[in-house]
Amino acid sequence: MTPVPVPAGSPYGRDNLPYGVFSAPGREPRVGVRVGDSVLDLAAALGDDRFAQPSLGGLLARGRAAWAETRRRVRAVVDGDPPAYAVLPLDAVRLHLPFAVGDYVDFYCSEHHATILGRILRPGQEPLPPNWKHLPVGYHGRSGTVVVSGTDVRRPCGQRRGDDGPVFGPSTRLDLEAELGFVVGTGSPLGSRVRTGDFDDHVFGVVLLNDWSARDIQAWEYVPLGPHLGKSFATSVSAWVVPMAALAEARVPTPPQDEQLPYLAMDEPWGLDVELRVVWNGEEVSRPPYRETYWSPAQMLAHLTVAGASTRPGDLFASGTVSGPGTRERGSLIELTWDGAQPVQVAGEWRTFLEDGDEVVLTATAPGPRGSRIGFGECRGRILPALPLEP
Ligand code: MN
């Protein structure tokens, strides 16, 4: 027996088994599972051609019983003796966007984030809007510009407020937002609702997500309909989808909530003890704790379907910027630098927002069984200079 090698302490052991899509040189993309520093070729390892596809879409659509059965089969292969041709070194493959993103909604679930932004943007006023504790606020994002980790991000151009009216040019306040994204597997029909108690029948897993944000474009455009071009140019996600089944040990209660309308009440805890890390040009600048997030993913899904919206396999909804109470627990630069007024030292330089050539890497871990850790891969992106103003 020669099980797949897993380095001691690796957060990609048999308790995790995240799914992705990879290609070996000269081969078509197909579904794989990360084990240690290797990728298990699922079609080859399981003898199942349904995984010889460039997307997790088929697996997502097959539903919760099939997810459990697949996980059981993968674990048996990992514990056993997979054929050598089904195990590839991670550094020898290319990772792709793991599923075709359907509808994409981004929420605003962290009370710490929403409060700090309220103080920065509306000083002297009540920081939280009056609806904030009654519903998870969100907006529809652009699914077609969700890109996989490692994809470069070009600095957007757009309108921003100037002294004598709007000016057009490259964003001067390009920011990151460290978030978790939730991947819908089993959809729900138009005119139906997904109750909080049915969350794990519908949601397959979790990705890391960076909601790149051009604060100057956003500030000028967002009243009254919310973010548009300030966030539509790119949203990065990790290449690995950590199944909800790997996060059983990470489940925790959300922070205490005010009384909710009945459709948002939860019978079981759906907070998650995931610790994110924000690395900017090689230096860790923040550790946002997802467990501090006010609204849970079960409440996000219940809210986004309560008016009867359908969901489909591959829909994505994200938490909004994850921030904790500490100054080094904030998941965006607008918070970490107090809107640019308090620069932070990054790799020996005082910095506020992102400059061309900067690289941001999000990572995260969560508790697994028997003291193990669950890793989420990484969500990496480098900023390219803006396109020239004239075509
Ligand atoms: Mn966001």
Side-chain angles (χ1 to χ4, degrees), residues 106-107 139 177 179 211 231 320-321:
D106 193 23
F107 284 93
Y139 68 94
E177 292 191 342
E179 309 193 11
D211 176 24
K231 288 167 176 282
T321 307

Side-chain angles (χ1 to χ4, degrees), residues 31-383:
V31 173
V33 166
R34 178 165 179 179
V35 184
D37 298 321
S38 304
V39 177
L40 190 67
D41 177 338
L42 273 205
L46 303 180
D48 188 337
D49 277 350
R50 291 180 301 177
F51 295 106
Q53 296 290 329
S55 170
L56 298 179
L59 176 62
L60 296 179
R62 289 202 285 281
R64 190 178 175 189
W67 307 337
E69 169 67 7
T70 303
R71 186 167 170 83
R72 189 191 62 71
R73 290 167 69 201
V74 170
R75 194 171 269 173
V77 166
V78 169
D79 290 343
D81 187 11
Y85 60 82
V87 182
L88 296 93
L90 186 60
D91 57 14
V93 305
R94 187 170 158 213
L95 300 174
H96 302 266
L97 188 67
F99 58 96
V101 180
D103 281 302
Y104 163 49
V105 172
D106 193 23
F107 284 93
Y108 192 52
C109 290
S110 162
E111 183 175 0
H112 298 289
H113 173 71
T115 301
I116 294 168
L117 248 61
R119 287 198 187 120
I120 290 172
L121 300 176
R122 296 178 296 276
Q125 297 179 39
E126 193 60 41
L128 291 180
N131 59 2
W132 200 92
K133 291 249 170 144
H134 298 284
L135 57 85
V137 170
Y139 68 94
H140 273 264
R142 190 169 189 85
S143 56
T145 48
V146 176
V147 297
V148 71
S149 173
T151 306
D152 290 335
V153 174
R154 189 167 293 283
R155 180 180 301 275
C157 289
Q159 289 191 27
R160 62 175 180 274
R161 192 178 281 118
D163 291 336
D164 303 306
V167 294
F168 180 84
S171 170
T172 58
R173 292 152 59 78
L174 185 56
D175 200 351
L176 61 96
E177 292 191 342
E179 309 193 11
L180 291 186
F182 296 86
V183 181
V184 173
T186 302
S188 50
L190 188 67
S192 72
R193 295 176 177 144
V194 178
R195 294 174 302 173
T196 56
D198 294 334
F199 175 78
D200 48 4
D201 286 339
H202 290 270
V203 172
F204 174 79
V206 180
V207 291
L208 300 173
L209 185 145
N210 187 343
D211 176 24
W212 305 97
S213 299
R215 298 297 180 199
D216 43 354
I217 298 173
Q218 183 184 354
W220 174 236
E221 74 179 359
Y222 88 108
V223 178
L225 290 183
H228 188 201
L229 305 189
K231 288 167 176 282
S232 68
F233 54 95
T235 304
S236 300
V237 293
S238 54
W240 299 108
V241 183
V242 174
M244 293 309 303
L247 296 173
E249 314 286 328
R251 289 180 59 182
V252 290
T254 54
Q257 296 188 345
D258 291 359
E259 191 175 328
Q260 304 298 351
L261 288 167
Y263 81 91
L264 289 168
M266 286 184 293
D267 293 334
E268 26 172 1
W270 271 116
L272 292 169
D273 183 13
V274 179
E275 183 172 67
L276 290 91
R277 293 183 184 203
V278 181
V279 176
W280 183 6
N281 290 347
E283 185 161 329
E284 181 184 295
V285 293
S286 180
R287 285 195 187 193
Y290 184 75
R291 66 181 167 275
E292 296 282 349
T293 303
Y294 187 90
W295 293 105
S296 77
Q299 290 172 312
M300 289 185 240
L301 185 59
H303 184 67
L304 87 81
T305 59
V306 76
S310 52
T311 60
R312 294 169 294 183
D315 281 3
L316 176 66
F317 59 95
S319 59
T321 307
V322 179
S323 291
T327 53
R328 286 294 175 138
E329 294 181 336
R330 297 171 181 173
S332 67
L333 304 185
I334 190 172
E335 295 167 89
L336 283 165
T337 69
W338 206 262
D339 203 22
Q342 298 170 9
V344 293
Q345 202 160 25
V346 182
E349 293 180 48
W350 291 99
R351 303 293 297 277
T352 53
F353 291 97
L354 297 171
E355 296 182 9
D356 294 347
D358 281 5
E359 186 173 62
V360 176
V361 183
L362 309 180
T363 62
T365 59
R370 304 172 305 283
S372 67
R373 298 297 290 177
I374 302 294
F376 291 71
E378 63 177 27
C379 183
R380 178 185 296 268
R382 184 179 290 277
I383 306 302

